[in-house]
Amino acid sequence: MTKEEILVREIIGPGRNEIRGFVCAVQEAKKLLFGERVSREDIFVTRDIYPAVAKRTNKKVKTAARQIERVGNLCWDSLDKSQKLRYIGKALNDIRSPQDMIFYLAYFSQYGKPYFVIMSEEWSQLQMIETDIKPVRAEHDPYM
């Protein structure tokens, strides 16, 4: 079992659900985000992830997309408040779409931390960098 398979099974539990397509989607998202350094905003699941998963699983793109979305919704529905905090970093009431789960789990799989915790840490680092940068003035500057 891959790390992503274990993660999904940990969330939805053992069962007969076919999770391979969703697991492949999480792996593709990780490859794009962290391997190819593509920005989250530049990744379109219908263009970048679903076709790659369909190819890996020998299914039609539409079939792969439906399966991925079903498992994404199942993952979301399986999370209680404490699990949302553990895997996502916030106790959200709802997600915009099942594809959000792909990215939340891609970040968790990569870093072992929830998505919103990582975003908060990155924001804090940017804030520290901005406050450490001070304009350099010449010694003869009367305004120093």
Side-chain angles (χ1 to χ4, degrees), residues 62-130:
K62 190 173 182 177
T63 304
R66 277 195 315 262
Q67 183 182 30
I68 292 165
E69 290 170 2
R70 264 188 244 119
V71 176
N73 281 327
L74 180 60
C75 284
W76 175 256
D77 292 341
S78 298
L79 293 173
D80 62 22
K81 185 177 179 178
S82 66
Q83 289 173 314
K84 287 176 186 175
L85 292 172
R86 178 177 178 204
Y87 296 114
I88 299 172
K90 278 187 178 180
L92 302 173
N93 292 328
D94 202 3
I95 53 175
R96 293 176 306 199
S97 70
Q99 68 183 352
D100 289 347
M101 285 303 299
I102 294 169
F103 293 101
Y104 293 150
L105 297 183
Y107 274 86
F108 191 88
S109 176
Q110 179 70 19
Y111 295 111
K113 295 179 182 179
Y115 173 83
F116 286 105
V117 170
I118 294 164
M119 293 299 112
S120 177
E121 289 172 356
E122 286 186 14
W123 177 253
S124 296
Q125 289 174 350
L126 285 173
Q127 294 297 335
M128 288 187 341
I129 290 170
E130 287 180 5

Side-chain angles (χ1 to χ4, degrees), residues 46-73:
T46 54
R47 179 192 70 198
D48 302 316
I49 295 178
Y50 292 167
V53 171
K55 186 176 180 180
R56 284 176 63 181
T57 59
N58 297 317
K59 295 183 179 179
K60 294 179 182 177
V61 174
K62 190 173 182 177
T63 304
R66 277 195 315 262
Q67 183 182 30
I68 292 165
E69 290 170 2
R70 264 188 244 119
V71 176
N73 281 327

